[in-house]
């Protein structure tokens, strides 16, 4: 009996027991509160409130100079918020789950979440155009509409979505709690790391957390589209599998195939047969005439009995041998 990890692969995979989260009242309330927080951060930066002042104080404090001993570690830790490496790692794991469970929902959910992340965060980045701390031009300014692309923080929002999708797709409540805590810690660390390195303002990180959380809370609204997309992909796969296979022949009904008719070239009333059918019909008629030209078979009961060789019994006097001439009979009354 095999006890290694590969013994699990020999078993037939069980159907997935994944229940998508529903848009409950509690979830809608969290979505509304997060959206209000998101709008409050944007308005606070637009009006250059005290939040912008706090951004400048943290930037001028220069955390990377205060604690230089952790700089090397945080340079690697920030990779957990980069979209390319994290999306690849999570996609590999979800692809394995999709293959084992015979479903595309994990991969489609990840794709939908990343698509929403790129559209929403990217649009706000380009629309507000805020410059980063290393490119700031005026102390105390919000640095908006200057051609930048750091507000909100893409690293932070990506960390929330990429690692939070593992908790969203968890199959047990216990796993969901642990993965939710893990994704919160990772995304919090990534956001603070960007502030430490001086690549983002503090308000960028706050807005990045809110942007990622909005996507995770709103994913149940996208579940019907994911279900329809999965059904469409499976239907296309079945069509491709059936393409090019030979069509099974249907049994011919009693009486044989019917001749296909086509209009006569001379415009006559009687439709003409197709060439192949006409040739087959002509061949059948020729065989019928050849068969009719042969003499009819003699029924065995009408044949002249033949005396077996070596028999002592004389031939019948009234019977005439085959091919002989019948003897003349005397005429009565002659």
């Amino acid at each position: 009996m095999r006890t290694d990890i590969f013994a699990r692969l020999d078993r037939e995979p069980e159907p997935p027991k994944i229940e998508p989260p529903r848009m409950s009242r509690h979830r809608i309330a969290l979505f509304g509160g997060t959206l209000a927080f998101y709008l409050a951060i944007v308005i606070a930066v637009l009006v250059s409130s005290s939040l912008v002042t706090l951004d400048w104080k943290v930037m001028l404090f220069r955390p990377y100079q205060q604690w230089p001993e952790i700089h090397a570690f945080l340079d690697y830790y920030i990779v957990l918020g980069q979209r390319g490496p994290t999306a690849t790692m999570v996609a590999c794991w979800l692809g394995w789950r999709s293959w084992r469970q015979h479903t595309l929902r994990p991969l489609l959910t990840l794709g939908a979440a990343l698509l929403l992340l790129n559209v929403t965060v990217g649009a706000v980045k380009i629309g507000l155009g805020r410059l980063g701390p290393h490119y700031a031009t005026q102390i105390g300014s919000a640095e908006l509409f200057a051609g930048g692309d750091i507000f909100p923080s893409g690293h932070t929002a990506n960390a929330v979505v990429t690692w939070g999708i593992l908790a969203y797709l968890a199959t047990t409540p216990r796993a969901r709690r642990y993965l939710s805590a893990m994704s919160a810690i990772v995304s919090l660390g990534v956001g603070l790391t960007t502030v430490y390195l001086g690549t983002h303002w503090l308000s960028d990180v706050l807005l990045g957390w809110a942007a990622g959380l909005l996507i995770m809370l709103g994913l149940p609204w996208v579940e019907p589209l994911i279900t329809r997309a999965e059904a469409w992909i499976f239907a296309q796969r079945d069509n491709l599998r059936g393409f090019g296979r030979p069509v099974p022949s249907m049994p011919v009904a009693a009486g044989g195939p019917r001749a296909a008719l086509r209009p006569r070239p001379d415009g006559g009333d009687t439709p003409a047969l197709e060439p192949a059918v006409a040739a087959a019909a002509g061949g059948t008629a020729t065989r019928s005439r050849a068969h009719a030209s042969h003499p009819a078979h003699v029924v065995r009961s009408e044949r002249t009995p033949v005396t077996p060789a070596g028999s002592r019994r004389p031939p019948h006097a009234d019977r005439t041998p085959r091919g002989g001439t019948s003897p003349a009979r005397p005429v009565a009354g002659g």
Side-chain angles (χ1 to χ4, degrees):
M1 181 177 180
R2 298 180 62 183
T3 58
D4 56 354
I5 190 173
F6 294 101
R8 181 180 177 87
L9 304 181
D10 298 334
R11 299 201 301 265
E12 184 68 19
E14 298 180 358
K17 299 178 181 179
I18 304 176
E19 295 182 1
R22 286 182 274 179
M23 211 64 188
S24 60
R25 294 182 178 179
H26 179 69
R27 199 178 190 93
I28 292 176
L30 287 177
F31 184 87
T34 306
L35 181 60
F37 179 76
Y38 184 97
L39 295 176
I41 296 296
V42 173
I43 294 174
V45 173
L46 285 174
V47 299
S48 298
S49 65
S50 57
L51 181 59
V52 176
T53 304
L54 179 61
D55 287 340
W56 277 97
K57 289 182 178 180
V58 174
M59 180 264 186
L60 295 175
F61 181 69
R62 291 181 173 85
Y64 57 89
Q65 293 182 354
Q66 303 296 327
W67 302 286
E69 59 276 3
I70 61 175
H71 196 290
F73 169 75
L74 294 181
D75 278 340
Y76 290 100
Y77 184 83
I78 197 66
V79 177
L80 296 178
Q82 291 182 359
R83 191 165 307 159
T86 56
T88 302
M89 290 186 292
V90 174
C92 290
W93 167 246
L94 295 182
W96 169 258
R97 282 185 54 183
S98 297
W99 179 72
R100 289 293 297 162
Q101 296 173 345
H102 295 173
T103 178
L104 292 177
R105 180 175 172 265
L107 284 177
L108 292 177
T109 304
L110 175 64
L114 292 180
L115 179 62
L116 290 174
L117 176 68
N118 291 333
V119 172
T120 56
V121 174
V124 177
K125 279 175 174 285
I126 296 175
L128 296 179
R130 191 181 192 186
L131 293 176
H134 293 315
Y135 302 96
T137 59
Q138 183 179 356
I139 297 179
S141 171
E143 303 294 334
L144 293 172
F145 310 110
D149 58 350
I150 65 163
F151 185 68
S153 170
H155 278 72
T156 307
N158 181 74
V160 174
V161 171
T162 306
W163 302 110
I165 205 71
L166 298 178
Y168 181 84
L169 294 173
T171 56
T172 61
R174 183 179 181 181
R176 184 166 295 176
R177 287 194 299 267
Y178 287 161
L179 290 173
S180 297
M182 183 201 73
S183 62
I185 294 173
V186 171
S187 59
L188 179 65
V190 168
L192 294 180
T193 299
T194 60
V195 176
Y196 169 86
L197 297 175
T199 57
H200 278 288
W201 307 97
L202 181 60
S203 56
D204 297 344
V205 174
L206 295 177
L207 196 65
W209 283 331
L213 189 57
L214 283 176
I215 293 174
M216 297 307 304
L217 291 174
L219 271 181
W221 281 326
V222 192
E223 287 290 343
L225 295 177
I226 294 174
T227 303
R228 287 197 290 269
E230 182 182 20
W232 181 84
I233 293 174
F234 280 141
Q236 297 303 314
R237 181 199 63 179
D238 295 339
N239 292 337
L240 291 177
R241 284 181 176 179
F243 181 76
R245 292 184 178 180
V247 180
S249 59
M250 300 298 294
V252 179
R258 297 181 179 180
L261 302 179
R262 62 182 176 86
R264 294 177 61 89
D266 54 358
D269 296 335
T270 304
L273 297 175
E274 292 289 343
V277 179
T284 305
T286 304
R287 289 192 299 270
S288 300
R289 288 195 297 271
H291 180 73
S293 62
H294 290 284
H297 295 281
V298 181
V299 183
R300 186 171 185 83
S301 61
E302 298 178 359
R303 293 179 181 175
T304 304
V306 180
T307 302
S311 176
R312 296 180 181 180
R313 196 174 80 182
H316 200 282
D318 296 338
R319 301 290 179 90
T320 305
R322 181 178 297 180
T325 306
S326 59
R329 296 183 179 180
V331 179

